[in-house]
Every structure is written in structure tokens, then in C-alpha cells.
Amino acid sequence: MDNVFDVIVVGSGVVGSSIAYHLSESKKHEILLIDKGFPLSGTSGSTQAWVWVHSKVPSWYGELSMYSAELYPFLEKKIGDVEYKRTGGIAPFFNEAERESALRLAEQQAEVGIEIDVLSRDDVLEKEPNLSPNVAGATFSKIDGNVNPFRLVELYVKAARKNGVQCSFYNQVNDIEKYGDIFHLKTSKGSFRAKKVVLAGGAWSKELGKMFGVDIPVRQVRGQILVTEPLQPFLQYTIGGVRQADNGEVLIGYSKEEVGYDRRSTLDVIQQTARMAIDFVPALSKANVVRCFSGIRVMPEDGLPIIGEIPKMEGAYVTAMHSGITLSPLVGTLMTELLTEGETSIDLSRYSLERFEEVQRR
Ligand SMILES: Cc1cc2nc3c(=O)[nH]c(=O)nc-3n(C[C@H](O)[C@H](O)[C@H](O)COP(=O)(O)OP(=O)(O)OC[C@H]3O[C@@H](n4cnc5c(N)ncnc54)[C@H](O)[C@@H]3O)c2cc1C
């Protein structure tokens, strides 16, 4: 590996693997995908994995998410079965007062082509009879669904390798320097050179940014998830907070805690999550919980993805986002355009690192 790569992607979670795969499709580039662990060792291996669109605001962010969801069926044709299911998504509310904001959301999202129905209590229960009878209504959209994140990342990496991408796992990038037009990456397994570098380090983006002297403003936000024993299929839709996987397990949870990079599960949040599950789907009170896990969300300061070239650092790029599972097919596609043509078919200026006034160079 002593050649100069066209592109080195740092981080092989769902975002970095998607970029490496999409970029490799033309087989025109020498690409290295590098990770200090393995492709699912970060957040992509500890996620709910909804492909969720309908409540993403502002609506232009919803629109971006919708385009990405639309790519999933094509992606599956190319890389194989990632267990993508467009189940439709239900976001229930339990208080009639919330109907007003649900109607506003539907109106707003319709402007960008996201179709949302605002359901009455009876409509919701007709669709998903196992939801709590206490539900007051819900927003519903056909566009939402979910995917198996393990298959997704595994198949991105497999397809990328098949297209010639070289991988170096269990290899930490410790520093990056630029001499002339070439980046030199110092890693625990030696030095690598590249014409372009993409930082796709998820929760570690801040540390990676420092190697370029920039602040990448992301916070680490823990989420804890409960997993039940496999149950007979009884939930048809992806419900805000609860989804049933193909193997019958129900994944429950949407907690958000700012505790740094701490992946422990805690009794208080497990109990709250279990209560939430029963409030939403009373039948879950009889289910056995077989495991719980937690993952670290990558939360840009304003909640919106960071995608694009690092200001004043030609050839260096950053991708950091919550909802990387939803967005990965589109981010991989757009980053490929940016890396090869210098521009993208969808305007990404809103997602640039430059939008943060406080972005400081060292
Ligand atoms: C509980 C929970 C639920 C979620 N639910 C959803 C959901 O339903 N839908 C959705 O779309 N998103 C969801 N997310 C968010 C989603 O999982 C993430 O946005 C996504 O996994 C981030 O992928 P990534 O590739 O950016 O990061 P990661 O998967 O963390 O990958 C980053 C990689 O970079 C590597 N790395 C870091 N630093 C270095 C270094 N110095 N050298 C080499 N390698 C390095 C790491 O080892 C890691 O493998 C959820 C997250 C959590 C925690």
C-alpha cells in the first residue's frame, strides 16, 4: 500500500462504507477505506436503523431524507438484500392538542413532496391494532421504513472490495499532514498517502477535525435500546420508538443523553424505555427483553448533517450526521459526485461546515 491513493476514506461505518462503495462503482479510483476498529464497531452497529423521513424538519432536510429513502430499492439491486422494508411510518400522539402541529407538519412537508396523513384515533388503530387505545392520533407516511444495519454495512464493504477498494481495519489514523497536494496519514500500521481524504469518523469527527485544525461541531448523544425475544410478527409499521425486525425481535427506544462516549446501559433509562414500550404497545408487557445496547449518536450542533469540503483545505472532506442509516445511499452518491466532478446534483451548501460561525481554525 505504498502508492498514492486517489481517495482515503477514514471511518467505515455506514457513511464511510457507502462513500467508498459508491465511489468505487466506476472502478476508476484507487481507494483505501480505513478504520480503527471494524465497520460496525461504531454507531452503525448500535442503531435502530429506521429509514425515516416524514418528520424530518426543516422540510428541505425532509426532502434530502426522502431522496435517500428512494434510493434504497436501487441500492438493494446493486449490493444485495439489506432487508430494506418500506413499511410506512407512524408517529403517534397521545394528546388531541398535538393534532394542530401534526397538520402543520403535513402541510409543510407536502411542499417538498412528502405525503403525510394525519390520522384519527380510529384510523391509527385500524392500521396498527396493537397500538395503545390511548392514542389520540398519528402522522403517517408511506415513505418510512427500516433496514438491517448489519447487512447494509457488510454489503457496502463487500461490494466496495469487489470493485477494488482496499481496506485496512484495526488501524487508527493518528495524524494527517498535507505536503503540496498530497495528504500523509500517520496510522498505527504505518503511513499512507492520498490526493483526497474524507473524514467519516462519526462520533470521533471532532478528534479527526483537529488533525486539519478545524472544529467539527458534533456532540456525542447516547441512545439506549431494548430488544425483545423474537415474537410472532404483530407490528406492521415502523412506529416512532418501536419497530419489529424480520426475525421477530422488537427494538424499542429513543433516549438521548449527553454523557460523552459512554456505551453502558443504565437501569433508569432501561426502565423508562420499557414503560414507553408498554404505553405505546400494551402487548409488549408480556414480552421478555433479551438484551439491551447503547450507541453514541453523532449530533451536529444544529442537528443537521455536515457534508462537504473542509473550508480552506482543498481535497479534505467531512461527513458527519445523525440519521446516517437513512441518508447513506444519498450521501455516498453525492460525495462521489463531489469527489469526481467537484459539484453535486443536489445543492449541499446548506450542509457545509462553513455554516457554523464558530468554526475555528487552529
Ligand atoms: C440508539 C441509536 C438509534 C439510532 N437510530 C437511527 C435510525 O433509526 N435511523 C437513522 O438513520 N439513524 C439512526 N441513528 C444514527 C445512525 O446510527 C448514525 O447516524 C450512523 O450509524 C453514523 O454512521 P457513521 O458511519 O457516521 O459513524 P460510525 O458507524 O460510528 O462509523 C465511524 C467509524 O469511524 C472510525 N474512526 C473514528 N476515528 C477514527 C480514526 N482516528 N482512525 C480510523 N478510524 C476511525 C470508527 O472506528 C467508526 O467505525 C441511531 C443512532 C443511535 C445511537
Side-chain angles (χ1 to χ4, degrees):
M1 288 194 190
D2 57 358
N3 52 334
V4 177
F5 289 94
D6 293 313
V7 179
I8 295 183
V9 180
V10 183
S12 67
V14 72
V15 174
S17 302
S18 169
I19 294 168
Y21 160 66
H22 283 94
L23 189 61
S24 74
E25 276 185 299
S26 68
K27 302 190 182 165
K28 281 188 188 151
H29 313 281
E30 289 280 320
I31 304 160
L32 175 66
L33 179 61
I34 192 163
D35 201 293
K36 66 179 177 159
F38 55 93
L40 285 153
S41 57
T43 309
S44 304
S46 53
T47 173
Q48 269 272 26
W50 311 336
V51 177
W52 189 262
V53 174
H54 92 251
S55 55
K56 295 278 172 63
V57 289
S59 50
W60 40 264
Y61 174 41
E63 189 181 17
L64 195 81
S65 307
M66 174 175 67
Y67 293 149
S68 199
E70 293 292 15
L71 290 176
Y72 262 102
F74 302 103
L75 180 71
E76 276 201 315
K77 287 203 170 106
K78 295 191 290 180
I79 67 172
D81 180 10
V82 295
E83 293 176 13
Y84 170 64
K85 294 182 301 297
R86 193 168 289 182
T87 55
I90 293 180
F93 50 86
F94 291 86
N95 183 333
E96 200 47 48
E98 289 178 48
R99 187 170 301 278
E100 226 11 77
S101 48
L103 288 164
R104 270 200 307 278
L105 176 75
E107 215 173 86
Q108 204 178 315
Q109 302 297 60
E111 283 171 23
V112 294
I114 300 170
E115 289 174 25
I116 298 178
D117 296 332
V118 180
L119 305 181
S120 67
R121 177 180 173 279
D122 290 349
D123 292 340
V124 189
L125 292 174
E126 196 181 325
K127 269 194 188 310
E128 193 67 284
N130 284 298
L131 260 174
S132 165
N134 293 331
V135 71
T139 50
F140 168 78
S141 180
K142 287 188 200 140
I143 183 78
D144 304 306
N146 59 69
V147 67
N148 180 333
F150 304 102
R151 289 191 65 85
L152 178 63
V153 177
E154 186 194 334
L155 290 180
Y156 271 141
V157 174
K158 200 171 161 191
R161 279 187 198 268
K162 208 168 153 196
N163 288 340
V165 171
Q166 296 185 53
C167 296
S168 181
F169 298 144
Y170 299 102
N171 187 10
Q172 176 155 332
V173 175
N174 295 317
D175 202 7
I176 308 178
E177 284 174 2
K178 195 175 185 190
Y179 301 111
D181 289 342
I182 303 294
F183 293 96
H184 292 241
L185 283 77
K186 291 190 185 142
T187 80
S188 48
K189 292 186 182 169
S191 290
F192 299 87
R193 293 175 297 158
K195 294 175 196 157
K196 292 180 180 173
V197 175
V198 181
L199 304 182
W204 296 271
S205 296
K206 227 179 209 334
E207 286 149 45
L208 286 167
K210 281 187 191 146
M211 297 180 193
F212 286 115
V214 291
D215 180 37
I216 298 172
V218 293
R219 288 180 287 119
Q220 299 177 331
V221 181
R222 181 168 70 190
Q224 300 192 38
I225 304 292
L226 297 188
V227 186
T228 70
E229 63 192 323
L231 302 167
Q232 288 298 322
F234 79 115
L235 293 174
Q236 217 189 314
Y237 296 91
T238 305
I239 304 167
V242 182
R243 77 162 172 108
Q244 189 166 25
D246 272 11
N247 65 357
E249 292 177 348
V250 179
L251 277 75
I252 307 156
Y254 56 41
S255 67
K256 290 184 178 147
E257 305 160 87
E258 305 236 3
V259 289
Y261 199 91
D262 177 350
R263 286 181 65 175
R264 282 176 295 184
S265 302
T266 61
L267 188 59
D268 56 343
V269 175
I270 289 174
Q271 284 172 332
Q272 284 162 23
T273 304
R275 264 194 296 274
M276 180 272 280
I278 297 166
D279 287 347
F280 274 43
V281 180
L284 283 173
S285 63
K286 296 201 181 76
N288 289 311
V289 169
V290 291
R291 66 187 170 96
C292 49
F293 66 84
S294 75
I296 307 300
R297 300 169 194 274
V298 189
M299 197 59 82
E301 288 295 347
D302 60 3
L304 298 164
I306 303 172
I307 312 168
E309 197 161 21
I310 295 179
K312 302 195 191 83
M313 183 58 71
E314 202 180 327
Y317 302 79
V318 58
T319 51
M321 67 209 68
H322 192 270
S323 300
I325 302 286
T326 303
L327 292 170
S328 77
L330 186 64
V331 170
T333 305
L334 295 176
M335 281 303 295
T336 296
E337 292 175 359
L338 192 59
L339 287 159
T340 56
E341 292 154 34
E343 53 185 12
T344 50
S345 51
I346 294 173
D347 183 14
L348 286 179
S349 51
R350 277 177 168 138
Y351 300 103
S352 161
L353 187 58
E354 255 170 337
R355 72 181 184 271
F356 298 99
E357 278 171 26
E358 68 272 25
V359 169
Q360 299 286 332
R361 297 191 70 79
R362 266 190 316 199

